[in-house]
Amino acid sequence: MRKRIGVQFRKTRKTTHTYERIQACTRCHTYHVLWETHCETCGRAYTPIRQVSHAVTRRYVQTRFLLLGLFVCLAVLSAETVLQLALAGGIGCVLFVLFFVMQKKYGTYERDVQFQHFLTREMETIKKSLLRHLEEVGNDVKEGHLKEAYEKTREIGHFIDSDTIKIRKIMFLNHYVLRKDMELELETLIPSMYDKDFMEYVREVIKVQPSLVKKSVLTYVRRYKNQILLLENGDQLIGQVAGAALRMKSYVDEYQDLIIEFIDFLPRERLLRLAKMVQTHTDEGWEQLYHSTKNRVDTHYAFDPDFKGLL
């Protein structure tokens, strides 16, 4: 077993939308998704991508306003009579008012639409910036800076959902001692195929943050049960995962087969919770689960006062 070391990871930013993580250097026309505030090339402060897009949209609006003004001026200059001049001026004023009202009413919608178009146009440039960040990760690994490599890969992972990124993060995380106070991830690391390093990571996560085990993790463990059993203490690992499923009744409903099969490997406190659950929900179609739990309790905890009278 590898020796794990203690570490304090940088706090990740909390954002409502993923694109809020993207910063732009308007001078170099590059993008950045890490934590630096200024461009390493030119030193200019990064600008949020939404703000850059709004500036582009504002220029579009100003251009249309100027074109409208030019059209009105041409109409006024082309007038040959006072009546035509009055009509040109009046119609021009009406158009300006309509333009202003439309911008007031639909300006937010236009900015959102233009932002989507802006992201589409800039996608290749953003990808190049992400690849540059991945090169930085490679350099960090070569220099032995695994903490920085993980933190950068974690940020890149918000934009690239691939097994390569997930496995890299798992390998980095498996070098460190995990703690309850850490911002750990689990669902975002689930690979599309079986990976033993991922399961070793799951083993450590369950010890400190079992609440991270959700439906997708349970489904993964059930799917690759046979491969997991080949790991050292693989049966205990599955038992721990099954025990984590007892946090929610809906999980117990869906993963009864996994709980029943590995009930012998449930930790005592998890078995106690299960006994209380099956006692309360005797009419939930849990007959087989009830009998399996009762047999386990009768065999190993018959004289345990905490289990007395439950089943």
Side-chain angles (χ1 to χ4, degrees):
M1 180 179 292
R2 70 163 58 95
K3 183 179 179 180
R4 296 172 179 266
I5 58 177
V7 71
Q8 184 70 47
F9 290 129
R10 184 191 304 268
K11 296 291 184 181
T12 185
R13 290 173 292 166
K14 304 296 183 183
T15 59
T16 304
H17 305 285
T18 302
Y19 68 75
E20 294 173 9
R21 297 176 174 276
I22 306 176
Q23 306 286 318
C25 176
T26 53
R27 178 179 295 171
C28 301
H29 193 204
T30 57
Y31 293 94
H32 187 81
V33 301
L34 302 180
W35 42 83
E36 286 85 0
T37 58
H38 289 73
C39 178
E40 294 180 354
T41 303
C42 67
R44 172 170 289 193
Y46 286 119
T47 305
I49 191 172
R50 186 86 191 220
Q51 188 174 325
V52 176
S53 174
H54 286 177
V56 174
T57 303
R58 186 164 54 249
R59 286 196 293 270
Y60 288 159
V61 173
Q62 292 170 347
T63 300
R64 291 199 297 268
F65 183 82
L66 290 174
L67 289 174
L68 177 60
L70 179 61
F71 172 77
V72 173
C73 289
L74 289 174
V76 170
L77 293 174
S78 301
E80 296 179 352
T81 64
V82 175
L83 179 59
Q84 289 177 346
L85 181 63
L87 285 173
I91 292 173
C93 290
V94 170
L95 289 176
F96 278 120
V97 170
L98 286 174
F99 182 83
F100 178 79
V101 170
M102 293 293 287
Q103 283 299 315
K104 194 76 172 176
K105 188 173 183 179
Y106 299 106
T108 301
Y109 172 76
E110 181 181 17
R111 286 194 295 271
D112 290 340
V113 172
Q114 289 294 339
F115 180 58
Q116 294 298 324
H117 293 329
F118 179 81
L119 281 179
T120 302
R121 292 196 306 270
E122 296 296 303
M123 192 58 65
E124 287 303 317
T125 306
I126 294 173
K127 287 180 180 178
K128 290 179 182 178
S129 297
L130 291 174
L131 290 175
R132 189 181 69 252
H133 288 328
L134 285 174
E135 291 177 359
E136 294 177 21
V137 171
N139 293 332
D140 286 335
V141 173
K142 291 178 182 177
E143 296 173 6
H145 302 154
L146 298 185
K147 172 181 174 293
E148 291 77 8
Y150 166 69
E151 291 169 342
K152 291 177 181 179
T153 308
R154 181 183 60 187
E155 295 301 318
I156 297 168
H158 288 288
F159 302 91
I160 302 177
D161 183 24
S162 70
D163 279 354
T164 301
I165 295 296
K166 293 174 182 178
I167 291 171
R168 277 191 181 188
K169 288 196 284 184
I170 292 166
M171 291 175 63
F172 295 144
L173 286 166
N174 279 341
H175 280 84
Y176 300 110
V177 177
L178 305 185
R179 303 187 310 274
K180 292 182 179 180
D181 63 324
M182 284 182 166
E183 293 182 354
L184 299 177
E185 52 183 327
L186 187 56
E187 282 193 294
T188 53
L189 297 179
I190 300 176
S192 59
M193 302 295 289
Y194 173 70
D195 184 77
K196 67 177 183 179
D197 289 328
F198 172 70
M199 288 312 306
E200 292 300 336
Y201 175 69
V202 171
R203 191 195 301 273
E204 297 301 315
V205 168
I206 290 177
K207 295 177 183 178
V208 295
Q209 294 186 27
S211 60
L212 292 180
V213 177
K214 295 184 171 59
K215 184 176 179 179
S216 54
V217 178
L218 290 162
T219 300
Y220 182 90
V221 170
R222 183 163 62 183
R223 180 185 304 144
Y224 297 109
K225 176 184 64 178
N226 293 333
Q227 290 94 321
I228 297 171
L229 287 173
L230 298 176
L231 296 174
E232 182 179 358
N233 298 321
D235 44 13
Q236 293 181 10
L237 174 55
I238 300 179
Q240 289 176 322
V241 173
L246 302 179
R247 291 182 302 104
M248 297 181 61
K249 176 180 173 294
S250 59
Y251 288 175
V252 178
D253 282 331
E254 187 166 353
Y255 298 97
Q256 279 192 62
D257 57 330
L258 195 68
I259 297 170
I260 291 170
E261 185 176 357
F262 293 92
I263 197 168
D264 291 344
F265 300 97
L266 289 181
R268 178 188 176 279
E269 69 279 3
R270 294 286 85 192
L271 183 65
L272 180 59
R273 175 171 175 77
L274 177 60
K276 292 177 179 179
M277 291 182 73
V278 296
Q279 180 195 44
T280 306
H281 302 88
T282 54
D283 58 345
E284 300 287 345
W286 291 4
E287 292 82 5
Q288 186 178 356
L289 182 59
Y290 176 89
H291 291 301
S292 297
T293 306
K294 188 175 187 307
N295 290 338
R296 178 65 177 169
V297 171
D298 290 344
T299 303
H300 292 83
Y301 299 95
F303 301 103
D304 191 319
D306 290 336
F307 287 87
K308 188 174 181 179
L310 285 179
L311 301 173

